Amino acid sequence: MSKNCPICNTQIIIKFAPFCSNRCANVDLSKWLNGAYSIPTDEIGVDSVNEFENIDDD
Ligand SMILES: [Zn+2]
């Protein structure tokens, strides 16, 4: 059973796995980068990190 590209749902090409093409790989990468850049890093400090650690401990 073959997997499909998570971006456009076309059958993937091994060369570009897990995507169907370099273009879709770039689209996914752009999503990651845009998401990272959209985070206001000035507001993420030690306090935010501690909150996540506390949740993990629970
Ligand atoms: Zn694709």
Side-chain angles (χ1 to χ4, degrees):
M1 183 175 182
S2 61
K3 294 181 180 179
N4 290 339
C5 173
I7 302 300
C8 68
N9 207 34
T10 301
Q11 185 175 344
I12 65 171
I13 304 298
I14 297 301
K15 179 180 178 181
F16 301 112
F19 305 102
C20 72
S21 65
N22 191 44
R23 182 173 176 272
C24 281
N26 285 333
V27 170
D28 187 72
L29 178 62
S30 296
K31 284 184 177 180
W32 273 94
L33 292 178
N34 288 336
Y37 289 147
S38 69
I39 297 174
T41 54
D42 287 345
E43 295 183 7
I44 296 183
V46 177
D47 290 342
S48 295
V49 174
N50 285 339
E51 285 182 9
F52 282 113
E53 288 181 348
N54 289 337
I55 292 172
D56 190 49
D57 287 339
D58 289 336

